Amino acid sequence: MRDWSPVMGLPLWIWLFVLPSAAAILCLLLGPRLERPLRPFWKVMNGVYLTSGLISALFMVTILVLIVAQMVARWTGFALPGTTEFAGYAMAATSFFALSYALTKGAHIRVSIILNANQFTRKWLDIFAVFSAAIIATYFARYAVKANAFSEMLNDRTQGQDQIPEWVVSLFRLDFDAALQGGDALVYTPVWIPQLAMSIGTILLAVALWDTLYRLLILGRNPIVSEAIE
């Protein structure tokens, strides 16, 4: 963790692991007394997870549109380069944006055979499992963001046929002046742009897991309810 530079006076690993763990201990000690004040916050977070799921669905529809467009282009003899690469980016975005929403809806695979042994082991093993998953997801999110930053720093570009207008790159850089000036020249897609979906999706997954841990400690039950398949 030597390369985890300080953020607002504290090492990053304290912000990512120590403070969330301390908050979990606080939730364990105070328990149901925190339920009422946190319910508005939980409602907002449920909306965030739902929005992430809707974005995932939108990218899934984008994959369909790109595939259909590619089929029509082949039938008509019209050149439509880059559709395969863009469909791949949309597929990655679909997967990562769906992570947090799928977690809250019980769509992730959870092995519960040991949890069902008795009520005591169920509670504490469930807490241990969610806490471990939150730690792992936080590591994943941190290094996903780091990989994203390295791609931008190295100006890594795609090796495929996909090209986008230069003003789109300026827009993603939040350089609105350059984006408004135009810049219609086509450039190869910077890799960090499609990688943004990975960074955002993994951050949301880590947040969802810490949120799930806090709700589990406060409510005394796991808020994730698996969807039964008959």
Side-chain angles (χ1 to χ4, degrees):
M1 296 185 181
R2 294 178 180 178
D3 63 332
W4 293 43
S5 57
V7 178
M8 293 187 293
L10 292 175
L12 184 60
W13 61 270
I14 292 182
W15 290 104
L16 296 181
F17 302 106
V18 176
L19 293 182
S21 300
I25 295 175
L26 184 64
C27 291
L28 178 62
L29 295 176
L30 296 181
R33 284 175 286 181
L34 291 175
E35 180 179 358
R36 186 172 181 180
L38 286 179
R39 282 208 172 274
F41 175 75
W42 289 344
K43 187 175 182 180
V44 172
M45 294 308 301
N46 289 338
V48 172
Y49 306 142
L50 177 60
T51 302
S52 181
L54 292 175
I55 294 174
S56 174
L58 179 62
F59 276 110
M60 186 176 293
V61 174
T62 302
I63 297 173
L64 174 62
V65 172
L66 288 171
I67 292 175
V68 172
Q70 190 177 41
M71 292 170 58
V72 173
R74 288 178 179 177
W75 294 339
T76 59
F78 182 76
L80 197 62
T83 52
T84 301
E85 287 80 6
F86 288 127
Y89 301 152
M91 182 179 296
T94 298
S95 301
F96 283 103
F97 275 107
L99 288 175
S100 59
Y101 179 72
L103 173 73
T104 58
K105 295 301 178 182
H108 289 193
I109 297 175
R110 301 179 73 235
V111 180
S112 58
I113 184 170
I114 301 179
L115 298 180
N116 294 330
N118 59 67
Q119 195 63 30
F120 179 80
T121 57
R122 179 182 181 87
K123 176 184 176 181
W124 291 104
L125 286 176
D126 208 1
I127 291 173
F128 175 76
V130 177
F131 175 72
S132 301
I135 293 291
I136 294 171
T138 304
Y139 263 105
F140 188 9
R142 192 268 177 173
Y143 283 102
V145 173
K146 188 174 182 179
N148 211 160
F150 265 116
S151 295
E152 196 278 334
M153 182 180 66
L154 298 175
N155 195 27
D156 195 11
R157 301 278 175 154
T158 178
Q159 301 299 312
Q161 296 180 330
D162 54 305
Q163 292 181 318
I164 59 177
E166 192 172 3
W167 66 266
V168 175
V169 180
S170 300
L171 189 62
F172 274 98
R173 291 183 185 274
L174 302 181
D175 188 355
F176 300 111
D177 292 336
L180 291 174
Q181 289 175 2
D184 294 330
L186 295 178
V187 296
Y188 285 103
T189 307
V191 174
W192 62 268
I193 292 181
Q195 281 182 339
L196 286 173
M198 176 182 67
S199 298
I200 297 172
T202 51
I203 290 173
L204 288 175
L205 176 62
V207 170
L209 281 165
W210 285 111
D211 185 21
T212 300
L213 176 63
Y214 300 153
R215 298 192 198 196
L216 173 59
L217 294 171
I218 293 171
L219 301 175
R221 64 181 185 280
N222 198 315
I224 299 175
V225 180
S226 300
E227 296 178 351
I229 302 178
E230 299 296 339

